[in-house]
Amino acid sequence: MKVPLLDLKPQYEQIRAEVEPMLLEICASQAFILGPKVEECEKAVAAYCGARFGVGVTSGSDALIMALMVEGIGPGDDVITTPYTFFATAGAIARVGAKPVFVDIDPVTFNLDADKVAAAVTPRTKALIPVHLYGQMADMDALMAVAEEHRLIVIEDACQAIGAEWNGRRAGSVGDYGCFSFFPSKNLGCFGDGGMVTTQDEQKARKLAIYRNHGMDPKYVHHVIGGNFRLDALQAAVVSIKLRHLDQWTHGRQQNAVRYEVLFAETDLLQDGRVSLPQKIGSRHIYNQFVLRAERRDELLAYLHEHGIGAEIYYPIPLHLQDSFRSLGYRQGDFPESERAAKETLALPIYPDLTSDMMKQVVQTIADFYGV
Ligand SMILES: *Cc1c(COP(=O)(O)O)cnc(C)c1O
């Protein structure tokens, strides 16, 4: 039996009857850009995230760029973030002309280590971008305390964390901005690229809406230079429909995480330390990824692929060691926990439609690899 890392086809079957008439309705209307479908989606996603406003944009990457643009962050400014994330987080900082300043992660959650963030702040630091990696929020109490002390703008990269909670507050509702991606492999994905920025501040929401449309306000009057960051009606309508199912799908992922814990505990893999499972730290983890640490990780990955099991490394090269960031002057050894995570971690299939037989197969194949 093959077990893919992610298979969206069963999910589509669940929503097909809702989605297809909606897509045809939008085609018949020939109204594709922004408009009521986007507004409806913005209201629903913002409410789900516990934020007052949502501004639909072209992607999660553009959501990050827009938050930085609206704050006027650019050349001469430093922005602190983690080197253990998808490229877009730091790419956005560089693309507005600011400098990414990396800080190492906490080895348990894989998220920014708040004490190290506090130590890295300088007078040039303007903003902080914590990433809620794999679906679990960073320690927002500690990070917000650092940000408040130094008056930093906080932009949550919540692309992997829609609906995740930290002390009862949802991803995207705590910082100045929350950035979400509707890339198909995220927990709330559309049928192409899409994203959203959330905020509690009406003034910021207004600015975001203006920057999203070339800084135009009113028509053909441009006081600022924005861009085309508009979400389209087809994608917004898909997101609105899928959002109604999201809690059920998240529950399925959480149940699968518990099932993995049981299945692994039935082997000797955990006791002998060959594998260690992700830790949930007192918050709502939405398991965009189920990421463990494993001995001889690269060999295990090859073995899983040979045996038809989908698995992936998120992410094999920390950002401070990427060629494109060489000019920042970082070296191997600068962020030991990020470098170790990049060598040891592996994501297993966790999507809600996995069957228990598929999960047994995953764990059995790992046990076979280690010969236990
Ligand atoms: C997916 C992702 C992004 C980028 O989102 P896109 O919609 O693909 O542009 C940014 N940050 C993180 C952490 C992500 O996982």
Side-chain angles (χ1 to χ4, degrees), residues 58-62 64 85-89 131-133 157-160 180-183 185-186 193-195 288 315:
T58 26
S59 69
S61 306
D62 285 343
L64 292 161
T85 175
F86 180 56
F87 184 82
T89 316
V131 179
H132 306 316
L133 203 67
D157 183 339
C159 289
Q160 300 185 6
F180 293 89
S181 167
F182 304 134
F183 186 78
S185 69
K186 312 294 181 175
D193 278 306
N288 178 242
Y315 297 90

Side-chain angles (χ1 to χ4, degrees), residues 26-200:
I26 293 168
C27 291
S29 80
Q30 290 292 298
F32 296 116
I33 307 292
L34 298 176
K37 291 282 183 249
V38 171
E39 284 165 29
E40 186 188 314
C41 169
E42 290 172 337
K43 286 206 176 76
V45 170
Y48 184 81
C49 297
R52 288 182 62 213
F53 304 95
V55 177
V57 299
T58 26
S59 69
S61 306
D62 285 343
L64 292 161
I65 287 175
M66 282 197 61
L68 291 162
M69 282 177 84
V70 163
E71 288 300 327
I73 291 168
D77 298 331
D78 287 359
V79 179
I80 291 179
T81 194
T82 161
Y84 189 65
T85 175
F86 180 56
F87 184 82
T89 316
I93 299 167
R95 281 187 58 197
V96 299
K99 187 172 130 191
V101 172
F102 295 119
V103 168
D104 210 359
I105 55 168
D106 170 314
V108 176
T109 61
F110 303 106
N111 285 323
L112 270 179
D113 180 325
D115 291 335
K116 291 183 181 148
V117 170
V121 175
T122 74
R124 282 188 312 279
T125 312
K126 289 286 157 16
L128 169 62
I129 308 188
V131 179
H132 306 316
L133 203 67
Y134 305 145
Q136 171 153 265
M137 283 177 74
D139 181 347
M140 289 306 285
D141 296 320
L143 292 170
M144 290 306 289
V146 176
E148 272 152 33
E149 188 185 335
H150 299 281
R151 297 175 172 275
L152 308 179
I153 295 292
V154 178
I155 300 168
E156 294 176 66
D157 183 339
C159 289
Q160 300 185 6
I162 191 159
E165 288 177 13
W166 181 266
N167 275 342
R169 294 188 69 185
R170 288 213 162 167
S173 74
V174 185
D176 296 280
Y177 302 90
C179 297
F180 293 89
S181 167
F182 304 134
F183 186 78
S185 69
K186 312 294 181 175
N187 285 26
L188 180 63
C190 61
F191 291 175
D193 278 306
M196 193 166 296
V197 187
T198 54
T199 181
Q200 307 289 11

Side-chain angles (χ1 to χ4, degrees), residues 69 90 118 154 270 280 292 323:
M69 282 177 84
V154 178
L270 301 177
K280 184 170 145 307
L292 42 74
D323 269 350

